[in-house]
Amino acid sequence: MRPQILFPLFAEVTSLKGVGTKVAPLIQKLAGPLVRDVLFLAPVGVITRRRTHAADAVEGEVGIFDVVVDRMIAPARPGVPLKVRASDETGFVHLIWFGGSPQHIDRQLPQGERRLVSGKVERFNGEVQIVHPDWIVPLDRGEEIPAVEPVYPATAGLTSRVVRKLALGALDAAPELDEWQDPAWLAKQRWPGWHAAIAALHRPTGEADLSPDAAPRQRLAYDELFAHQLALARRRRARQITPAPVIAPGAVSQALLTALPFTLTHAQARAVAEIRRDLASGEQMGRLLQGDVGSGKTAVAALALADAAGSGFQAALMAPTEILARQHYQRLAPMLEAAGAPTILLTGRDTPAERRERLAALASGEARVAIGTHALFQDAVRFDRLALAVIDEQHRFGVNERSRLQAKGDPRIGGVHLLTMSATPIPRTLELTQYGELEVSRLMEKPPGRTPISTAVLPLARIGEVAQRLKAAVESGAQAYWICPLVAESEVSDLAAAEERARDLRRILNIEVGLAHGQMPGAEREAVMADFSDGRLSVLVATTVVEVGVDVPNATIMVIEHADRFGLAQLHQLRGRVGRGAKSSACILLYGGQDGGLGETARERLETLRRSEDGFEIAEEDFRLRGGGDPLGLRQSGFPAYRFADPIRHRSLLLAAADDARLVLGRDPDLTGPRGEAIQVLEALFDWKTERGGLD
């Protein structure tokens, strides 16, 4: 239940003065539906004004002038601006409007009257002028012109100044709250209280007050990080106190291990040991298995599936696409079956007869392992003794989807263990922001036999040369991917179009070229990808639908057009589609448009990819180059959308917040002590369970 003291902040934005039917949808889109959302909308900069005279005006500064209105010079013809000449004791100031109403401006600036005017100073033919002044007020209202004015995000129909008034209204509604932070910590950091910090945000005294390093901003950032880490710590604690089936390795997993056509790497063996320790603990496991492309995550997961089956339970492996689920089934089912773990495949395209048979096998317990897509957590699916859920490419699923699969377990045998896997290495900072409730295992080495991928960075002007080299490679038996950022040709973009490129390559190579993109019917797209996988197609032109879920060991060439427009982590994933066998492989990154230009940040990103195949290093570099706004493009995948915190700039605060959250819940799990009650208000204030980009 939300504390009563916060009711004013959780009122609808329509409760703010000035928010009517026209403004409400605009401010809701810009900030959110609640007064709290407007309060948390931080300024993006400040305008600093100073009193000055015409003779002392500095071009580019924002000045406040005390002037007498001389006369209006109306435009002589369309397209000519309206001008008002005014003056002080040192010279003239010309006020300019493009398209202004003469009658309205005349009312604001009556001839012969004194006015205070403010705006950015420009000089034209030696004259001081202000185009579209920010402020025009009589002398007795001079206090209305702020010396320091915060600038807020704006949108069509909603100016920064209107947003500022609403933010100040939200600030007036903000109550004084009991302190939830440790007093000694606050004193050490020299931070203000919460209300003073939020007030400083909306009433800054200068640009420095909005810096991520300013004391008020750090205070707000730490509160936000602390609230988020509390939510994660609560989830971790809830999992740890949930009894779960005890799973131990046995004959099934030993038979599977013997059947594997390779020896586990040291990293794989370590991850298996960490997972088995969790499964045998009697507490519900929650673990993230991170591994670079080709690091062997599937083998680790297969042993966990075999452990569960060998212990008399059932296990499920859920993948985001049917083609990936089928690949897992084709690889794992024969080995699992031979080891004594009957395995089924469940997707959305099963025939009614197949579906009935497979659902019956799950419900009876005959099937020990189920591999499938979203079909696994549909209402009709019943497990007999589900004890382990493995989620591949976990960032493709929401928290609710993962929970629905876990909910298929039987409470009488305990909670379902969860193992999630990601082939997109995540910077350690982001691990803490999103996966603070999970244990993490990392596969930092690749199995032997993988050959390095040669990566070249070339201007798009050399595309013809690349096509000819591709022709020679295909004629010698190679298979290749050609990645384009768009599906069809666009009049407003110079980016490559997959459909057009496929036609070009068919003409140049004189062979059938496959085409796969997200707008195709799923069955048609997967049929094309299956033809490529089986070797019936030598070249596949695609969008990023092949980023995951396609494993073609014979594919040795990857061409990516407009590589400078892709995220670094995404490029690394695409490159990982080749180099999956023993043959040497190459990745060609084509950059630039008609001008062939490449920005400095894009150049750094492509150079990082050319230099390194280490996904963890690449992820850290991508995070550094992109900054904290939307690292790795993962906000759509559930990563937290912080209002005040920057995980890069505030990394030390994040680490401290994580430690403090664990310490607080360790001492006062139910938050019933004096500080605990104040912390409950903080949790309600940020409400991470419903925040956009929060914990679902």
Side-chain angles (χ1 to χ4, degrees), residues 279-362:
L279 294 176
S281 68
E283 298 175 355
Q284 189 178 37
M285 177 177 74
R287 184 168 287 274
L288 168 67
L289 177 61
Q290 276 203 83
D292 211 343
V293 177
S295 60
K297 296 180 299 300
T298 304
V300 173
L303 287 169
L305 297 172
D307 285 347
S311 296
F313 300 106
Q314 291 174 303
L317 168 58
M318 184 166 70
T321 65
E322 181 175 336
I323 191 168
L324 184 54
R326 288 190 181 279
Q327 285 184 357
H328 282 320
Y329 180 76
Q330 290 163 2
R331 286 181 178 176
L332 300 180
M335 290 189 291
L336 288 168
E337 295 268 3
T343 302
I344 65 161
L345 175 67
L346 196 63
T347 72
R349 296 211 182 98
D350 300 330
T351 66
E354 289 173 335
R355 184 172 176 79
R356 282 194 300 272
E357 180 182 348
R358 293 167 187 177
L359 290 180
L362 278 182

Side-chain angles (χ1 to χ4, degrees), residues 462-502:
R462 295 178 62 180
I463 190 171
E465 177 186 338
V466 171
Q468 289 303 318
R469 289 171 58 188
L470 177 62
K471 179 178 174 66
V474 168
E475 288 174 349
S476 67
Q479 284 184 276
Y481 298 91
W482 191 295
I483 305 300
C484 300
L486 292 179
V487 173
E489 196 170 7
S490 168
E491 294 181 0
V492 297
S493 173
D494 64 348
L495 300 186
E499 292 175 339
E500 182 70 21
R501 186 61 66 230

Side-chain angles (χ1 to χ4, degrees), residues 122-140:
E122 298 179 4
R123 287 191 178 272
F124 182 73
N125 291 335
E127 295 180 343
V128 175
Q129 67 177 27
I130 298 174
V131 178
H132 292 275
D134 297 329
W135 292 87
I136 302 173
V137 297
L139 294 184
D140 60 358

Side-chain angles (χ1 to χ4, degrees), residues 564 591-599 603:
D564 48 313
Y591 67 84
Q594 294 178 347
D595 60 357
L598 188 62
R603 188 179 301 279

Side-chain angles (χ1 to χ4, degrees), residues 98-428:
F98 291 90
S101 164
Q103 295 78 14
H104 175 69
I105 293 170
D106 187 53
R107 286 194 296 271
Q108 285 188 297
L109 294 161
Q111 188 172 356
E113 295 289 327
R114 284 179 68 185
R115 289 290 184 268
L116 291 174
V117 298
S118 178
K120 187 176 182 179
V121 174
E122 298 179 4
R123 287 191 178 272
F124 182 73
N125 291 335
E127 295 180 343
V128 175
Q129 67 177 27
I130 298 174
V131 178
H132 292 275
D134 297 329
W135 292 87
I136 302 173
V137 297
L139 294 184
D140 60 358
R141 290 169 49 197
E143 74 282 353
E144 294 180 16
I145 304 179
V148 179
E149 181 178 4
V151 177
Y152 290 85
T155 186
L158 197 62
T159 65
S160 169
R161 190 167 298 167
V162 171
V163 176
R164 176 174 179 256
K165 289 180 180 178
L166 299 179
L168 292 176
L171 181 61
D172 290 340
E176 293 284 352
L177 302 173
D178 290 340
E179 184 57 68
W180 47 70
Q181 299 296 359
D182 178 66
W185 171 248
L186 286 182
K188 180 181 178 181
Q189 300 298 320
R190 299 182 179 178
W191 287 343
W194 175 79
H195 197 282
I198 202 75
L201 184 74
H202 296 295
R203 294 195 177 104
T205 59
E207 187 77 42
D209 287 353
L210 299 183
S211 164
D213 299 325
R217 187 60 174 260
Q218 284 201 327
R219 161 68 204 244
L220 296 173
Y222 188 78
D223 285 340
E224 184 172 37
L225 293 167
F226 181 53
H228 189 205
Q229 290 301 311
L230 278 167
L232 294 174
R234 279 182 179 273
R235 283 175 52 171
R236 177 191 285 261
R237 184 172 181 274
R239 189 191 75 241
Q240 290 172 338
I241 63 176
T242 300
V246 174
I247 295 174
V252 173
S253 51
Q254 184 56 48
L256 178 65
L257 185 61
T258 302
L260 289 176
F262 52 81
T263 302
L264 297 182
T265 65
H266 293 300
Q268 286 175 308
R270 183 173 59 250
V272 169
E274 290 169 345
I275 292 167
R276 284 177 167 171
R277 185 177 63 240
D278 290 351
L279 294 176
S281 68
E283 298 175 355
Q284 189 178 37
M285 177 177 74
R287 184 168 287 274
L288 168 67
L289 177 61
Q290 276 203 83
D292 211 343
V293 177
S295 60
K297 296 180 299 300
T298 304
V300 173
L303 287 169
L305 297 172
D307 285 347
S311 296
F313 300 106
Q314 291 174 303
L317 168 58
M318 184 166 70
T321 65
E322 181 175 336
I323 191 168
L324 184 54
R326 288 190 181 279
Q327 285 184 357
H328 282 320
Y329 180 76
Q330 290 163 2
R331 286 181 178 176
L332 300 180
M335 290 189 291
L336 288 168
E337 295 268 3
T343 302
I344 65 161
L345 175 67
L346 196 63
T347 72
R349 296 211 182 98
D350 300 330
T351 66
E354 289 173 335
R355 184 172 176 79
R356 282 194 300 272
E357 180 182 348
R358 293 167 187 177
L359 290 180
L362 278 182
S364 67
E366 176 189 347
R368 292 296 182 88
V369 177
I371 298 174
T373 59
H374 299 72
L376 287 172
F377 60 70
Q378 301 307 310
D379 291 342
V381 179
R382 296 284 186 273
F383 287 85
D384 179 43
R385 290 167 61 81
L386 180 63
L388 171 65
V390 179
I391 314 293
D392 194 13
E393 296 298 333
Q394 58 78 33
H395 62 280
R396 300 293 183 96
F397 297 96
V399 172
N400 289 335
E401 292 174 306
R402 299 195 289 268
S403 298
R404 286 180 66 183
L405 180 56
Q406 284 184 281
K408 295 291 184 181
D410 185 342
R412 291 173 296 181
I413 65 171
V416 174
H417 296 288
L418 177 67
L419 175 64
T420 65
M421 300 193 294
S422 174
T424 303
I426 302 164
R428 289 181 183 269

